[in-house]
Amino acid sequence: MANGLRVLGTTGPKKAVKAAATTGKSARYYPADDVPRPKHSRAKKQNAPKIRASLTPGTVCILLSGRFRGKRVVCLKALESGLLLVTGPYKINGVPLRRVNPAYVIGTSTKVDVSGVDVSSINDAYFARAASKSADGEDGFFANDAAKAAVVSDQRKADQKKVDAAVLKAVEATPLLKNYLGSNFTLGKHDRPHNMVF
């Protein structure tokens, strides 16, 4: 304060250093070596996928796309990737244990008791494809033109039988459910899916 007037904007040396640090002004001291600063990453953090409330374990679902479109399947659980683990059962409608995208699934109000089904060992890694050993070079590429038949491993067959045995018990306990799962979902000319209650 000079002559009763307050002078704004003037500060002492300690306050000036603090002000420079907070306002982003360049400092008067520079380090001798370049200090590497971490670069700002634009990669988004992946949140756990949200599964619709209607798609719970035991829900009978209708597949809308893929090889088995129109089939009714039993949802067993949601995997870490956000995909659903479903089974036909295979004996009823030919749908094996497989992963499906919940965007292409309609959850119905029909439920099956799958509390006795153990699918804890089945995850996304279970469905990973084995690396194919192909011959290198142009000759190897054109030599294998014939399509190879898909081979289902013995472990996959054993798991299918074990899971389906437990699901079939629950299905056969409910009258007409076996026929319901075996029938395909279709729409006729005058059907209005937006008015349907699944």
Side-chain angles (χ1 to χ4, degrees):
M1 274 174 92
N3 300 334
L5 297 172
R6 175 181 272 174
V7 181
L8 298 174
T10 57
T11 54
K14 287 182 181 176
K15 288 185 180 177
V17 172
K18 278 186 184 175
T22 55
T23 57
K25 291 181 181 176
S26 61
R28 293 204 174 105
Y29 165 75
Y30 297 98
D33 299 322
D34 289 336
V35 179
R37 292 177 61 190
K39 289 192 166 73
H40 176 68
S41 173
R42 290 177 184 267
K44 291 185 179 177
K45 188 180 148 229
Q46 290 287 349
N47 295 325
K50 286 186 180 177
I51 305 296
R52 265 180 286 158
S54 61
L55 301 175
T56 56
T59 303
V60 174
C61 304
I62 301 166
L63 302 183
L64 300 177
S65 72
R67 182 179 165 196
F68 299 103
R69 62 180 168 274
K71 299 277 188 184
R72 291 183 170 96
V73 295
V74 179
C75 175
L76 298 175
K77 71 172 182 177
L79 299 168
E80 286 181 14
S81 61
L83 300 175
L84 300 176
L85 176 68
V86 299
T87 184
Y90 186 78
K91 195 174 181 182
I92 294 176
N93 55 23
V95 181
L97 274 171
R98 63 188 281 121
R99 297 177 296 176
V100 293
N101 187 338
Y104 301 104
V105 162
I106 296 175
T108 66
S109 57
T110 310
K111 304 279 182 191
V112 177
D113 181 24
V114 292
S115 56
V117 182
D118 180 30
V119 287
S120 57
S121 61
I122 300 173
N123 53 18
D124 287 306
Y126 177 85
F127 293 96
R129 289 186 180 178
S132 61
K133 296 175 184 175
S134 59
D136 292 336
E138 194 174 317
D139 297 332
F141 179 77
F142 289 108
N144 299 328
D145 276 348
K148 293 177 184 174
V151 179
V152 181
S153 66
D154 293 333
Q155 184 207 353
R156 197 71 88 85
K157 289 177 184 174
D159 290 339
Q160 182 75 55
K161 282 181 183 175
K162 185 183 81 171
V163 170
D164 280 2
V167 174
L168 279 168
K169 267 187 195 174
V171 167
E172 284 163 0
T174 309
L176 299 177
L177 184 56
K178 191 173 180 179
N179 296 348
Y180 176 68
L181 288 171
S183 64
N184 282 2
F185 172 75
T186 55
L187 288 173
K189 188 176 180 182
H190 299 292
D191 289 337
R192 291 175 171 77
H194 61 285
N195 287 337
M196 290 181 179
V197 177
F198 296 96

